[in-house]
Amino acid sequence: QVQLVQSGAEVKKPGASIKVSCKASGYTFTDYYMHWVRQAPGQGLEWMGWINPKNGDTKFAQRFQGRVTMTRDTSISTAYMELTSLRSDETAVYYCVREASFYDYWGQGTLVTVSS
Amino acid sequence: DIVMTQSPDSLAVSLGERATINCKSSQSVFYNYDNKNYLAWHQQKPGQPPKLLIYWASTRESGVPDRFSGSGSGTDFTLTISSLQADDVAVYYCQQYYYTPRTFGQGTKVEIK
């Protein structure tokens, strides 16, 4: 069965960086784009970008350009999302999501708390 | 960016009654080439990630109860829960996957009256 297992919760200070991992299993990792979506506490869902695991191509939401990097390691079927220069209002749950045209599988989410 | 607007923001429905959620996109998400609407519905329960319910506007994901149905085309879509169950208490999001950036509605919270 398809599973996306993300790394654990983290606490960061403003200005720091975070790198979240998403390990895929149950399917061929390179066959599906991986997207990242975040959700601030009590808020809605915000798209951050995607990576094509086959060739590493990426596309990001305009508001994250220059601060976000998405990479992958195909040998261990894992995608990564790194966000730099964190602000306190970026406390959120960060999700990886598999896209099979539509979003069919979500990771469990990684809570990133940004606080001084 | 495509704006997805859901209505209402919240609704309270009695057990066994019908719940209807609307979603409007600022541009059409219908693709003439494959005759499909690139619109999905996701359900999110407290403390859980979203879960896919409906894709291509009206196709139920495997394992989703048939009391959930999706309809609409172009810019106007509806999610209907025909007979609300206690387990359906959640926030529901519509999402378009035609355009980048992918965008979501603001969510509709469904509660028991």
Side-chain angles (χ1 to χ4, degrees), chain B residues 4 12 73 93:
Chain B
M4 308 297 290
S73 184
Y93 294 93

Side-chain angles (χ1 to χ4, degrees), chain A residues 16-44:
Chain A
S17 299
I18 183 74
K19 188 171 185 176
V20 179
S21 67
C22 172
K23 182 170 178 59
S25 62
Y27 72 98
T28 301
F29 179 63
T30 51
D31 281 353
Y32 298 85
Y33 280 42
M34 192 72 79
H35 291 232
W36 291 86
V37 173
R38 75 179 184 182
Q39 185 173 39
Q43 301 301 308

Side-chain angles (χ1 to χ4, degrees), chain B residues 2-112:
Chain B
I2 306 305
V3 177
M4 308 297 290
T5 304
Q6 292 181 226
S7 61
D9 290 334
S10 64
L11 75 162
V13 176
S14 300
L15 289 172
E17 296 300 305
R18 178 184 301 260
T20 301
I21 301 169
N22 299 301
C23 173
K24 188 175 185 67
S25 59
S26 59
Q27 293 185 40
S28 175
V29 297
F30 179 75
Y31 190 27
N32 290 302
Y33 180 77
D34 58 10
N35 205 37
K36 290 180 177 179
N37 286 286
Y38 283 57
L39 189 284
W41 290 95
H42 301 273
Q43 174 194 61
Q44 187 176 33
K45 297 180 180 179
Q48 295 185 20
K51 171 193 166 187
L52 175 67
L53 290 179
I54 303 280
Y55 55 95
W56 302 131
S58 60
T59 303
R60 259 191 312 276
E61 172 70 330
S62 175
V64 173
D66 61 7
R67 63 180 180 274
F68 291 93
S69 63
S71 63
S73 184
T75 61
D76 293 280
F77 300 91
T78 300
L79 175 69
T80 301
I81 309 172
S82 61
S83 176
L84 191 75
Q85 305 300 304
D87 189 51
D88 302 335
V89 169
V91 178
Y92 294 83
Y93 294 93
C94 63
Q95 180 229 343
Q96 64 81 19
Y97 48 97
Y98 186 101
Y99 300 96
T100 297
R102 306 290 188 254
T103 48
F104 297 84
Q106 79 275 19
T108 296
K109 187 174 186 178
V110 174
E111 300 172 307
I112 305 295

Side-chain angles (χ1 to χ4, degrees), chain A:
Chain A
Q1 72 286 19
V2 173
Q3 282 194 299
L4 301 176
V5 178
Q6 299 183 221
S7 48
E10 302 214 40
V11 180
K12 295 290 183 180
K13 293 191 185 304
S17 299
I18 183 74
K19 188 171 185 176
V20 179
S21 67
C22 172
K23 182 170 178 59
S25 62
Y27 72 98
T28 301
F29 179 63
T30 51
D31 281 353
Y32 298 85
Y33 280 42
M34 192 72 79
H35 291 232
W36 291 86
V37 173
R38 75 179 184 182
Q39 185 173 39
Q43 301 301 308
L45 299 163
E46 179 180 27
W47 181 78
M48 299 182 69
W50 56 249
I51 182 168
N52 179 351
K54 185 167 292 187
N55 58 18
D57 284 352
T58 54
K59 189 166 183 66
F60 309 126
Q62 186 71 30
R63 66 175 295 176
F64 299 110
Q65 292 277 2
R67 286 204 302 137
V68 69
T69 304
M70 293 180 187
T71 57
R72 91 286 189 220
D73 184 338
T74 57
S75 69
I76 55 172
S77 299
T78 299
Y80 302 91
M81 186 283 298
E82 182 172 20
L83 187 62
T84 62
S85 302
L86 288 165
R87 303 186 303 266
S88 56
D89 65 353
E90 293 189 296
T91 292
V93 176
Y94 290 76
Y95 294 104
C96 58
V97 198
R98 190 181 87 159
E99 187 177 65
S101 292
F102 42 86
Y103 287 171
D104 59 351
Y105 288 94
W106 295 70
Q108 85 275 19
T110 296
L111 174 62
V112 176
T113 302
V114 184
S115 174
S116 55

